């Protein structure tokens, strides 16, 4: 989708030690996200960029991979060399049978 300049990983390639950065909106996050993920909506990334680690693999995720690809490009342009886009986003994560949890008391689902 973004060409060779945006490195990506599939859900099965995500290491257990990776820092999952979910850049979706609050309602999407509340409905369902990966356990242990960190929520930072895309539009807040520039103001909160210092929260994103440089010393571990960072896998950026959204619903389908579009927004997260933009965030990966932004971070790479600002000195991060440890960031990857989750190919297919949360839709692929859930489709791969990976765990999804919710924050709203409802069964988890990907919006």
């Amino acid at each position: 989708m973004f060409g060779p300049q945006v490195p990506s990983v599939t859900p099965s390639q995500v290491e257990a030690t990776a820092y999952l950065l979910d850049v979706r909106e609050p309602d999407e996050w509340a409905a369902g996200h990966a356990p242990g993920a960190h929520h930072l909506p895309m539009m807040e990334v520039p103001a909160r960029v210092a929260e994103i680690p440089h010393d571990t693999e960072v896998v950026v995720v959204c619903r389908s991979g579009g927004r997260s690809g933009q965030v990966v490009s932004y971070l790479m342009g600002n000195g991060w060399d440890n960031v990857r886009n989750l190919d297919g986003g949360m839709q692929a994560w859930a489709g791969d049978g990976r765990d999804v949890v919710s924050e709203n008391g409802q069964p988890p689902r990907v919006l």
Side-chain angles (χ1 to χ4, degrees):
M1 171 183 264
F2 296 98
Q5 73 277 12
V6 175
S8 64
V9 294
T10 64
S12 63
Q13 294 172 318
V14 175
E15 299 286 335
T17 58
Y19 184 97
L20 289 175
L21 179 64
D22 192 318
V23 297
R24 296 176 300 149
E25 293 300 311
D27 62 325
E28 294 173 289
W29 167 264
H33 58 85
H38 303 268
H39 186 222
L40 179 56
M42 179 181 178
M43 298 309 290
E44 294 180 26
V45 168
R48 296 175 56 192
V49 73
E51 298 175 29
I52 303 169
H54 281 278
D55 60 352
T56 189
E57 181 182 21
V58 175
V59 177
V60 185
V61 59
C62 66
R63 181 176 51 85
S64 62
R67 289 172 285 178
S68 53
Q70 292 176 43
V71 171
V72 168
S73 291
Y74 173 81
L75 292 171
M76 290 178 71
N78 284 279
W80 273 257
D81 60 2
N82 59 323
V83 292
R84 308 286 178 266
N85 186 30
L86 182 64
D87 191 27
M90 279 302 298
Q91 291 176 328
W93 180 272
D96 197 50
R98 303 293 297 260
D99 287 341
V100 179
V101 296
S102 71
E103 298 289 320
N104 61 11
Q106 299 295 317
R109 61 192 179 110
V110 177
L111 294 184

